[in-house]
């Protein structure tokens, strides 16, 4: 019986992957074949649709993009932007079997079955996979084997959940954590977390920073989690980086409650808030929600 279950499971996996195979092969196989043909051992980002794929990587002190249309030869060009994807990871470590299965699960919901997806190794060690359709509308995002789920409020459990995601993709140290709420935003109000990495080094040897974003849900033009390239400007609010072990949902909410009391408002009257290290102290800086009267529009509490 155990043998039969094993055979059945293997057969089911083949059925799932076959739907995403077609004449060009399964997505994971296409990525491996293109990398081999292009002589590329490590990549910083993979982007793929039903008939085309792109491999972003660095070699020496320069970034490149390798492109393959259908089964044509791989074409490689330098990336003149000079701001690329770090870190790089061997192609065999990109969890390509899971990528193929996840694309197969959504392709029937895509226009004419045209799937689309991205893979990004991260500085935190995790692999991020964005799964969707060929028009870059995203259905799901995965951090290793965990699917990223929605946000309906910045409660303790949700804050702790997204902090774990930050550690997985950016590592244990952060430059800031910017929590946005619908109570402050006037355009596209939603729960969003923006987080900036400590200083990194680009392939060109220049300092760079990664600012990623965690949204309440995926939209047609934006995945629920967006891991970004390493750019030449930080934009972080902190004077210094800080250890994420010092931050938790309980500590943040306690600081917000204390600030709300001093401002003469309720916790629900707090809009956006930022965790940052300034003047040698880790603080939560909060803003009052739109339309709310308070003793001050901005307030800081030591975390």
């Amino acid at each position: 019986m155990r043998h039969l279950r094993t055979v059945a499971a293997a057969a089911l996996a083949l059925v799932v992957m076959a739907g995403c195979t077609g004449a060009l092969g399964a997505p994971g196989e296409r990525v491996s074949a293109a990398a081999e043909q292009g002589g590329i051992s490590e990549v910083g980002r993979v982007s793929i649709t039903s008939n085309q794929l792109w491999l972003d990587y660095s070699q020496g002190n320069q970034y490149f993009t390798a492109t393959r249309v259908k089964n044509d030869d791989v074409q490689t060009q330098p990336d003149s932007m000079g701001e690329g994807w770090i870190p790089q990871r061997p192609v065999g470590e990109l969890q390509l079997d899971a990528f193929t299965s996840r694309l197969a699960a959504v392709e029937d919901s895509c226009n004419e079955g045209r799937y689309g997806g991205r893979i990004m190794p991260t500085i935190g060690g995790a692999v991020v996979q964005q799964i969707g359709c060929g028009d870059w509308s995203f259905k799901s995002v995965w951090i290793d084997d965990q699917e990223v789920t929605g946000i309906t409020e910045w409660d303790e459990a949700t804050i702790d959940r997204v902090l774990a995601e930050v550690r997985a993709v950016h590592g244990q140290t952060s430059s800031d954590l910017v929590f946005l709420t619908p109570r402050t935003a006037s355009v596209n109000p939603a729960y969003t977390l923006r987080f900036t990495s400590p200083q990194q080094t680009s392939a060109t040897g220049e300092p760079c920073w990664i600012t990623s974003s965690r949204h309440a849900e995926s939209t047609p033009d934006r995945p629920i989690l967006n891991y970004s390239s390493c750019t030449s400007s930080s934009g972080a609010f902190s004077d210094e980086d800080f250890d994420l072990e010092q931050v938790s949902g309980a500590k943040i909410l306690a600081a917000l409650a204390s600030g709300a009391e001093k401002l003469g408002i309720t916790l629900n009257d707090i809009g956006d808030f930022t965790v940052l290290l300034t003047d040698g102290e880790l603080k939560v800086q909060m803003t009052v929600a739109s339309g709310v009267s308070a003793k001050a529009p901005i307030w800081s509490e030591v975390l």
Side-chain angles (χ1 to χ4, degrees):
M1 181 63 72
R2 180 178 180 183
H3 174 70
L4 290 175
R5 285 198 299 267
T6 302
V7 171
L12 178 60
L14 288 173
V15 169
V16 169
M17 295 178 69
C20 223
T21 300
L24 300 181
E29 295 170 353
R30 291 172 56 202
V31 171
S32 296
E36 182 177 359
Q37 186 185 108
I40 303 165
S41 60
E42 296 186 342
V43 298
R45 182 175 73 158
V46 173
S47 305
I48 192 169
T49 67
S50 299
N51 60 8
Q52 193 167 353
L53 67 82
W54 301 261
L55 304 176
D56 293 300
Y57 67 101
S58 62
Q59 195 169 63
N61 62 349
Q62 190 169 7
Y63 291 107
F64 296 87
T65 298
T67 305
R68 190 178 198 185
V69 179
K70 297 183 178 179
N71 282 329
D72 295 348
D73 290 342
V74 173
Q75 304 293 323
T76 300
Q77 291 184 330
D79 184 346
S80 59
M81 293 292 291
E83 296 177 343
W85 298 90
I86 63 170
Q88 297 201 124
R89 188 79 65 85
V91 174
E93 297 179 8
L94 298 180
Q95 304 169 18
L96 294 177
D97 287 346
F99 189 56
T100 295
S101 297
R102 289 163 184 166
L103 287 171
V106 303
E107 73 172 324
D108 286 346
S109 66
C110 298
N111 183 32
E112 298 182 359
R114 295 177 178 173
Y115 60 80
R118 295 191 181 113
I119 307 174
M120 291 156 288
T122 70
I123 57 173
V127 173
V128 169
Q129 295 187 354
Q130 299 170 338
I131 306 298
C133 301
D135 59 359
W136 303 117
S137 59
F138 295 98
K139 309 289 186 179
S140 65
V141 176
W142 298 75
I143 301 174
D144 290 334
D145 60 352
Q146 295 293 317
E147 184 173 4
V148 179
T149 56
I151 298 171
T152 58
E153 181 59 270
W154 287 128
D155 56 25
E156 182 179 340
T158 302
I159 293 174
D160 284 338
R161 172 160 53 93
V162 298
L163 288 175
E165 295 167 358
V166 172
R167 288 193 292 269
V169 300
H170 273 203
Q172 192 59 42
T173 309
S174 187
S175 288
D176 65 10
L177 302 165
V178 182
F179 293 83
L180 307 179
T181 77
R183 295 187 287 273
T184 302
S186 57
V187 179
N188 298 324
Y191 293 99
T192 300
L193 170 65
R194 290 202 306 262
F195 49 105
T196 303
S197 74
Q199 180 179 309
Q200 308 292 311
T201 302
S202 70
T204 62
E206 299 297 321
C208 64
W209 292 261
I210 299 170
T211 298
S212 299
S213 53
R214 170 64 157 93
H215 302 280
E217 60 184 357
S218 291
T219 64
D221 60 349
R222 185 197 65 209
I224 193 171
L225 173 67
N226 197 31
Y227 179 79
S228 298
S229 60
C230 204
T231 64
S232 57
S233 60
S234 166
F237 294 101
S238 286
D239 296 334
E240 300 177 55
D241 304 328
F242 55 88
D243 193 325
L244 288 169
E245 282 296 327
Q246 299 174 265
V247 186
S248 69
K251 289 181 178 180
I252 289 175
L253 290 179
L256 293 177
S258 176
E261 182 179 3
K262 293 170 184 174
L263 289 169
I265 58 177
T266 70
L267 190 58
N268 288 331
D269 293 326
I270 297 294
D272 302 340
F273 51 96
T274 300
V275 178
L276 69 165
L277 184 62
T278 181
D279 298 326
E281 293 183 313
L282 191 60
K283 300 177 181 179
V284 177
Q285 179 176 287
M286 61 201 80
T287 59
V288 176
S290 299
V292 174
S293 178
K295 295 178 180 178
I298 300 174
W299 191 262
S300 293
E301 286 284 325
V302 175
L303 193 64

